[in-house]
Amino acid sequence: MNVYKKGSGGLIGVGIGGIRCCRVLLKKDGTLAQPVISWMDARTAVPYEHTNPEVAYVTSTTGYLSCRLTGEFKDCIGNAFGEWPVDMETWNWSEDEEVIRKYQIPREMLFEAVGPGEILGYVTKAASEKTGLPEGLPVVSVTNDKAVEGLGAGLVNDQTAVISLGTYITLMIQGKELPKDPKALWAIISSVPGKYLYESYGIRRGMWTVSWFRDLFGDGLVQEAAKQGLSPEELLNKKAEKVPAGSDGLMTVLDWLANPWEPYKKGIMIGFGAHMDEAYMYRSILEGIAYTMKNNCDAMCEELGKPLKEIVISGGGSNSDLFMQIFADIFNVPAKRNVVNESASLGAVINTAVALGEYESYEKAVEEMVEIKDVFMPIEKNAQLYQKLNQRAYKNMANYTDGVLKEIYNVYNEDV
């Protein structure tokens, strides 16, 4: 993310952030030893195995990019998320021999750890010639995608939650302390130095499920939308707005991509009636996302001992007024939408601007740069209905469906 000085148009720095949990294996000279391993690849869910003798460094996508731009072997410690030997209290690499053995990455294979909002290095002449970025331009560490998205959404207090609507949907609340033995959340390094983000359990392939459903209808949906001057998503939202809250009991469980420790999980739609069409199915997917994040959030807030006052919805899905209202109704708190709803890029700008002295603090930068577009208030009758459906049905769905799904899984895998 490039940052320009306000009023001058001059480029003052570039912030480097990226999708977390990816693993990048580099040769001694900083070039790729093999293709980047995506966060969705099962190999990133287990400790690194040194099977390729060409590999000299194990880093993240941002470590690779910063290395190519600056020639420095440095990366933000916040991007070492998942199977990495990180000391969450010191914001550095762990010196505990047991931890190092567990993750199987010796210190000499790790880049130098840099904190969020710090300068990683400066654009080299070679990088300048390839990218067009000015030689000597500061390159700033801006943490992983979710942490920087929280910052860009304006997350600077401990009673606001940001819901990130991406391929992986999660919910984040900022705090000052590192929780001990948390059960309903985990703490990650925030984009704000000295702070942590408490992150709920999320939905894998979350917004992908919405795209998948849209694509099921193919050219017919595209053509119908075009006739009305709408995008396919806008047409689905328009149709789903006519479906009553609760979708007449049609419910969607969003396990389209199972966690490695729950391989039997599958997506479920339950409660069909003969009168239901694609609008009911679409709305039930949106409601399923909101139900899931509400339940995860409740467990998280109970553990933290903090009530939630409002939510901010980030990501392209927040463009839907219907989705925003569903979130407000199911959470039963105000749901805010910012002018810049793809907030990871804005968070990168904030990190970079503060690092380069354009703002004296993160609070001041957020005040100046994050603008609320609108707020959706809960509709009381909808909130009451959703609360009943959630508590009496959706929240307990797995108690009834997991057994069946396990048996199906066993049939297909017992002879493997």
Side-chain angles (χ1 to χ4, degrees):
M1 175 56 63
N2 297 337
V3 177
Y4 295 84
K5 191 172 183 66
K6 188 176 181 180
S8 71
L11 183 63
I12 63 171
V14 57
I16 295 294
I19 297 175
R20 63 188 181 181
C21 297
C22 298
R23 186 178 290 162
V24 184
L25 307 177
L26 302 180
K27 300 177 183 178
K28 195 70 176 177
D29 64 357
T31 59
L32 289 171
Q34 61 189 67
V36 175
I37 304 173
S38 164
W39 69 273
M40 290 188 285
D41 192 307
R43 289 173 293 176
T44 63
V46 296
Y48 166 72
E49 292 186 15
H50 189 59
T51 57
N52 182 349
E54 286 192 302
V55 175
Y57 297 103
V58 182
T59 188
S60 70
T61 50
T62 52
Y64 173 61
L65 290 172
S66 64
C67 180
R68 302 305 293 166
L69 284 172
T70 70
E72 301 282 350
F73 291 79
K74 299 179 180 180
D75 191 17
C76 179
I77 190 66
N79 288 311
F81 186 91
E83 298 294 323
W84 304 83
V86 177
D87 187 325
M88 293 291 290
E89 293 185 345
T90 65
W91 290 34
N92 209 328
W93 300 118
S94 175
E95 297 180 359
D96 187 321
E97 291 298 327
E98 184 177 341
V99 172
I100 294 171
R101 282 195 299 271
K102 175 183 176 182
Y103 292 104
Q104 303 178 168
I105 311 176
R107 179 64 186 86
E108 62 268 19
M109 296 184 75
L110 295 166
F111 279 14
E112 179 183 337
V114 174
E118 295 183 16
I119 295 175
L120 290 159
Y122 300 85
V123 174
T124 65
K125 181 179 180 180
S128 176
E129 290 172 350
K130 290 183 177 181
T131 65
L133 295 170
E135 182 180 357
L137 189 72
V139 177
V140 175
S141 162
V142 303
T143 335
N144 66 67
D145 55 329
K146 294 302 181 185
V148 80
E149 185 176 359
L151 175 61
L155 190 57
V156 291
N157 67 63
D158 61 2
Q159 290 188 308
T160 298
V162 170
I163 298 174
S164 168
L165 297 178
T167 304
Y168 179 71
I169 297 174
T170 190
L171 179 146
M172 300 169 285
I173 298 174
Q174 186 162 274
K176 298 178 182 179
E177 306 295 331
L178 184 62
K180 302 297 183 184
D181 301 319
K183 301 296 187 297
L185 62 104
W186 60 82
I188 67 172
I189 290 171
S190 171
S191 285
V192 180
K195 302 289 181 68
Y196 293 94
L197 282 186
Y198 308 138
E199 186 171 345
S200 75
Y201 289 100
I203 305 172
R204 291 157 63 89
R205 286 197 176 176
M207 293 307 293
W208 175 94
T209 305
V210 177
S211 301
W212 164 84
F213 180 79
R214 174 203 64 202
D215 294 343
L216 284 180
F217 293 89
D219 292 341
L221 179 66
V222 173
Q223 292 170 7
E224 184 181 356
K227 288 178 182 179
Q228 299 185 39
L230 302 171
S231 69
E233 292 86 355
E234 288 171 332
L235 177 58
L236 283 171
N237 278 287
K238 183 179 178 181
K239 289 183 174 184
E241 286 173 354
K242 299 176 182 178
V243 174
S247 302
D248 284 349
L250 181 63
M251 293 184 171
T252 301
V253 179
L254 291 131
D255 290 322
W256 260 249
L257 178 63
N259 288 308
W261 59 89
E262 299 174 311
Y264 58 88
K265 291 280 193 180
K266 296 288 184 180
I268 295 172
M269 282 189 175
I270 188 170
F272 280 102
H275 66 291
M276 294 177 180
D277 56 14
E278 73 273 16
Y280 278 83
M281 296 170 69
Y282 180 73
R283 182 172 185 126
S284 78
I285 290 174
L286 301 186
E287 291 174 340
I289 290 172
Y291 279 138
T292 302
M293 298 316 300
K294 164 65 172 172
N295 293 332
N296 292 348
C297 181
D298 283 351
M300 180 177 173
C301 289
E302 182 178 355
E303 189 166 313
L304 292 172
K306 290 185 178 294
L308 189 66
K309 290 186 175 180
E310 62 182 8
I311 54 176
V312 179
I313 312 299
S314 172
S318 66
N319 289 320
S320 165
D321 286 0
L322 171 63
F323 207 3
M324 290 296 300
Q325 189 61 57
I326 288 172
F327 270 115
D329 292 343
I330 288 180
F331 274 74
N332 201 18
V333 295
K336 293 183 176 180
R337 176 169 58 187
N338 292 332
V339 172
V340 179
N341 61 4
E342 296 287 357
S343 62
S345 57
L346 181 55
V349 171
I350 293 172
N351 256 144
T352 305
V354 174
L356 300 179
E358 293 300 307
Y359 293 97
E360 61 186 22
S361 69
Y362 282 94
E363 289 75 15
K364 184 64 175 177
V366 166
E367 180 184 336
E368 292 284 336
M369 299 174 73
V370 179
E371 183 180 354
I372 298 170
K373 180 181 179 180
D374 45 24
V375 181
F376 291 75
M377 301 302 294
I379 298 171
E380 185 177 355
K381 66 175 182 178
N382 291 351
Q384 291 176 356
L385 175 62
Y386 281 129
Q387 196 272 338
K388 290 179 182 178
L389 289 171
N390 187 25
Q391 291 298 319
R392 295 166 62 176
Y394 195 90
K395 193 172 184 179
N396 303 309
M397 191 80 70
N399 295 338
Y400 302 97
T401 58
D402 275 4
V404 174
L405 292 174
K406 286 177 182 177
E407 288 303 320
I408 294 172
Y409 177 83
N410 291 337
V411 167
Y412 281 95
N413 292 275
E414 59 192 6
D415 296 326
V416 175

